[in-house]
Amino acid sequence: MEKKWWHSATAYQIYPKSYQDSNGDGIGDLPGVIDRLDEVKALGADVIWLSPIYCSPLADQGYDISDYFNIDPRFGTMEDMDRLLAAAKDRDLKIVMDLVVNHCSDEHEWFRKACEDPDGPYGQFFYIRDWHEGEPYPCNWRSYFGGPCWELLPGHTDKIYFHAFHKKQPDLNWENPLLRRTVYDMINWWLDRGVAGFRIDAIINIKKFLPFRDFPADRDDGLCSIQRMLEKAKGITSFLDEMADETFRPHDAFTVGEVFNEKDEELPLFIGERGCFSSMFDFSGTLINKSEKGWYDQPPVTMEQYKEAMFASHRRVAGVGFLSNIIENHDEPRGVSFFLPPEGRSETGKKLLGGLGFLLPGIPFLYQGQELGMENTTHTDISEIDDISSQDEYRVALDAGLSPAEALAVVDRFSRDNARTPYQWDDTPNTGFTTGKPWLPVHPNHTEINLAEQKGRADSLYNFYRALIRLRRDPEYADTVVYGSFEPYLEEREGLMAYYRRGRRTLLVLGNYSGAEMTVPLNEASKRVLLNNLERYSEKDGAATLAPWQFVVLEV
Ligand code: TEU
Ligand code: CA
C-alpha cells in the first residue's frame, strides 16, 4: 500500500463548544482553540478534527448546518478560521473539518426555498412527498432521535419531508446530480482554503433504499429501526467514489468516514488502496451490547468484550486498510466510564485502556479530555441535559416502564453530554474554560482531574499519552507501530489482552485487567520495557508477572 502522511498521524478531536471560551459567553470558540493550539502540540498530536463550527441553530450542536460557507458567530468569524488554519500550519498541525452532508438545517436557505416552492429546483434537494392527514407516511422508519422520519413541510398541509435525524435536520437528496455537484463545490472551497481533509458525518445514510416502504415494526410505536433500510440500500460507493474523484483525490485530502454497519465486501471500497476514504472509524467497541430497544436495555461492557471486539475488527481489516481507533467521541459516554469496571477506573486502569487501544494498527483518535481520563458526569434531573438524543432515550426508558430515577440513571450512563462537559484545564471554579457561565456545567471532579495538575506530574495519564504518541513517532519504532502486523497473543486467556506488533522490531503489548496478579508465559525474553503503567515489572524463567491493571509494552 502506498504510504501516506496520515498513516502515522495521531489525531485529536476538539469539540469547540466545550474546549475553550475566549469571550466569557460560556461557549467555547475558535479564538479559544487558537489560544490552546500549543497544548495540542505539547501532547504530540498532528491532526485536529474540529467538530462543526459552521453557522447553525445548534439544535444538534452544529450537526445541523444553515450555512456551509460561514462560521457561526458563537464560534467566531471566517477571519478566526483563517487565523486558526495559519496558526496550525505554523505549528505543523493539520486541521480536519467535519463534513455534514447527509442533511442540513431546516434553517438553511435551500430548505427555505424548498418550502416556498416544493416543485422548484430546491424541492429536489430534499425528499418531499405528498401526504394527507390520516394517511400513513411513505415509510415507517424511526428517526435516530425518535419518532417518525417524516414531518410536515413548513407552510404546507399536504406535503412532508424526510429526516433520518432530528426534524431540524432534513436529509439532502443525493440522487439529485445538482445537489451532489453543489456539495462537491463546497468541499473544494474548503480544501482550497487550507483544510487537510474531513471527518465525514453519518455518511452511510446518504443512500436510501427507494422507493420508501415499510418494514416490520420493532417497538410499540409501530416504527422500525432505520438500520433495516441501511441493510438493504445498495450502491452507496458510486456516490462516494464520485465525491472522492471530484474532491478528495485531486487534493490528496485525508478523510475519515463515520461508517456504521458496513458489509464485509464493502470494506475495500471504503478504505482499500483505491477506497473512497483514507480511513473509517472502528465503532466495534462503542457498539458492544447496543440494543435496538434503547439505552435502557444495554448491559455494562466488560474488558473481555472489548478485547474480542478489537481483535475481530483488526483481523477483518488486516491487509485492507486503516481503521481509526477510538474509545470515545462527542457521541459517546467517556471511554474510561464505559469500558472499565469501577475498580479499574484508577489512573493505572485508564493507562491500560488507553495503551491497549492506542497501539492497535490504525490511526489513533483521541477525544478532548481523554488524555486526562475525564469521566461521565451525573444529573439530578432530565432538564439539566441538553442533548436531544438523551431526551429521546429518557422517554424510551420511561415508556418501557422504568421509573424517572431509573431512566435518569440510564441517561447518566450513556448521555452524549458526558463527553460534552467543558474541558478541564485547572481546578478553578469554571476549570479555566470560561470566565462566564459554562453552557454545560463543569464536572465536579475537575478539582482532581485537570490538565494543570497532570502536566506537572511525571506519572500522570496525560504524560502517559504523551509517551504513547512519542513511541508512535520514534524513528526506531514508528514503522512497527504504524505498519507492523497485528497478532493476538494468548487470546483465550481471560483477564488478559495481549498482542504482537511485528515490523522492523517486535513489540509485545500486555494488559492485565483481571483484577489479580497474573503470570504470562513469554515466547522469548524481553529486550526492553518500552512503556509501563507501574514502576515495577518482573520477568523471570520465561514468564512475566503482571500486577493488577498492569500494562506494559515489551520489545522482544
Ligand atoms: O452521528 C451519527 C450517528 O448515527 C450516531 O452517532 C448518533 O448520533 C447517536 O447514536 C445518537 O445517540 C453523527 C454525529 O456524530 C452526531 O453528533 C450527530 O448528532 C449526527 O451525526 C447527526 O448529524
Ligand atoms: Ca465564546
Side-chain angles (χ1 to χ4, degrees), residues 60 63 100 103 144-145 165 169 199 201-202 205 258 260 290 295 330-332 389 416 420:
D60 187 20
Y63 286 90
V100 189
H103 46 267
Y144 286 98
F145 297 137
F165 291 87
Q169 296 167 299
R199 172 269 184 182
D201 187 70
N205 296 281
E258 192 199 18
F260 288 96
K290 276 256 174 337
W295 288 351
H330 66 291
D331 289 335
E332 297 297 330
S389 181
R416 304 196 297 177
R420 300 176 182 183

Side-chain angles (χ1 to χ4, degrees), residues 428-493:
T428 61
N430 287 333
T431 192
F433 166 68
T434 181
T435 54
K437 184 178 184 298
W439 75 277
L440 260 196
V442 302
H443 197 302
N445 73 7
H446 74 277
T447 48
E448 286 111 58
I449 298 179
N450 63 70
L451 180 68
E453 189 278 329
Q454 294 201 25
K455 275 187 115 168
R457 182 159 54 81
D459 68 352
S460 66
L461 182 64
Y462 166 82
N463 279 313
F464 186 78
Y465 269 104
R466 285 182 67 222
L468 283 165
I469 298 174
R470 261 201 316 275
L471 179 65
R472 189 171 167 77
R473 305 175 78 114
D474 185 328
E476 290 300 319
Y477 297 98
D479 163 77
T480 306
V481 175
V482 177
Y483 295 105
S485 68
F486 169 74
E487 196 185 296
Y489 181 57
L490 298 177
E491 193 171 349
E492 306 302 319
R493 180 83 175 265

Side-chain angles (χ1 to χ4, degrees), residues 21-23 25 27 29 74:
D21 176 23
S22 71
N23 62 355
D25 67 356
I27 296 177
D29 45 47
R74 283 163 285 199

Side-chain angles (χ1 to χ4, degrees), residues 226-234 261 263 292:
I226 202 163
Q227 300 301 328
R228 295 295 86 73
M229 87 88 175
L230 291 179
E231 287 156 8
K232 289 230 155 39
K234 290 263 154 32
N261 302 93
K263 302 156 185 100
E292 287 208 340

